[in-house]
Amino acid sequence: MNFSEHLQADLRNPTRDYIGDRLSHITPAGPGYFSLTSDDGSYVQTAGARLKLVIEYRKLDGDSFRHYILGRADSTERSARQINSAVGQINLWAHEVLDIDDAIDVFGHFLDNGAVPNRYELRDDTSRFHDLGRDEP
């Protein structure tokens, strides 16, 4: 696993405690985004602030991928929201605005299992990348 932090050098094979500590410093002014990438290229990433952030998950499958935005599966709130991040404003649905506890949970689970916890709803956002004619954001 490889841990990446906004404006910092990458760290190979981070511990769960290290990831949790670094994630707790997230702010729109920086460090504003983090990612954890597995050896197969799949990853989770987050941007935003401690109380309002987005978590995305990309699952690679050979030469293709699926890209998802995580949301609270137990929420019925589906109104539009915006959050501020180091990469600008991000448009989400209300149930997709998560917080630092979610980020620590998802990153830890991904570190241990290479996937995200089942308790989150996954909105497939893959077409955003294919519509742009590129595979990377």
Side-chain angles (χ1 to χ4, degrees):
M1 292 277 179
N2 192 56
F3 184 72
S4 300
E5 178 179 341
H6 181 208
L7 302 176
Q8 298 293 321
D10 290 358
L11 177 66
R12 184 89 180 127
N13 297 321
T15 65
R16 193 180 250 268
D17 288 341
Y18 178 84
I19 292 170
D21 176 66
R22 295 310 307 148
L23 288 173
S24 70
H25 292 88
I26 192 169
T27 69
Y33 56 84
F34 299 87
S35 65
L36 182 62
T37 306
S38 68
D39 292 338
D40 76 355
S42 298
Y43 63 78
V44 291
Q45 64 185 14
T46 189
R50 290 177 53 86
L51 298 177
K52 294 180 181 178
L53 53 78
V54 61
I55 302 173
E56 297 179 337
Y57 169 51
R58 180 171 289 191
K59 177 66 178 157
L60 267 64
D61 184 17
D63 292 335
S64 66
F65 67 88
R66 304 303 302 172
H67 194 92
Y68 304 96
I69 296 175
L70 278 68
R72 296 185 193 285
D74 59 354
S75 174
T76 59
E77 179 63 43
R78 299 293 195 248
S79 60
R81 295 285 194 272
Q82 285 187 330
I83 64 169
N84 294 317
S85 77
V87 295
Q89 286 192 328
I90 300 172
N91 297 313
L92 301 167
W93 296 113
H95 73 287
E96 296 170 341
V97 177
L98 303 176
D99 63 29
I100 190 63
D101 292 332
D102 294 302
I104 291 170
D105 178 42
V106 169
F107 274 64
H109 191 89
F110 187 80
L111 179 68
D112 294 340
N113 303 291
V116 298
N118 291 335
R119 68 184 148 279
Y120 293 95
E121 179 178 295
L122 301 177
R123 176 170 58 92
D124 194 328
D125 192 39
T126 308
S127 64
R128 172 175 49 130
F129 301 98
H130 295 301
D131 291 345
L132 295 173
R134 58 191 170 104
D135 287 347
E136 293 299 320

